[in-house]
Amino acid sequence: MVKNLEITKEFIEGINWIQAHRPALHKQYQGRWIAVYRNKIVAVGKSINSVEKKALELTKASLIKIPLVFMEDPHCIYLLK
């Protein structure tokens, strides 16, 4: 159970920015994680841990203000067994 989950204004703005630029982001960063802060990509990488660490170091912001999103292939289909 999650208690007191805070979704910050900066986080929501970052998600909205990602959504507005999704086609270009998929094309450029497909298969990698991105971190967005203040409507800018601040870190990119293959591992969420490395992207998180770099984003925190560069921005000095709290992680609750930085969306981390995996740019998967928009044409990918997953089959679950």
Side-chain angles (χ1 to χ4, degrees):
M1 180 156 88
V2 177
K3 293 183 180 181
N4 300 322
L5 178 64
E6 181 182 359
I7 301 175
T8 64
K9 177 183 153 202
E10 293 90 347
F11 187 90
I12 292 170
E13 287 172 352
I15 293 294
N16 288 338
W17 185 87
I18 291 167
Q19 188 62 31
H21 297 87
R22 190 166 291 278
L25 294 173
H26 272 127
K27 187 174 183 177
Q28 188 169 0
Y29 300 109
Q30 186 174 316
R32 292 181 279 170
W33 287 90
I34 63 168
V36 173
Y37 183 65
R38 295 186 176 165
N39 297 333
K40 294 179 190 171
I41 296 173
V42 294
V44 177
K46 292 190 177 195
S47 136
I48 190 171
N49 293 333
S50 66
V51 172
E52 178 181 301
K53 182 179 176 184
K54 185 175 181 182
L56 292 172
E57 288 172 359
L58 291 173
T59 65
K60 307 293 188 224
S62 168
L63 193 56
I64 63 172
K65 296 181 179 184
I66 306 169
L68 302 171
V69 178
F70 185 69
M71 293 286 104
E72 60 187 322
D73 181 347
H75 303 100
C76 191
I77 299 173
Y78 296 95
L79 298 176
L80 303 176
K81 290 185 178 185

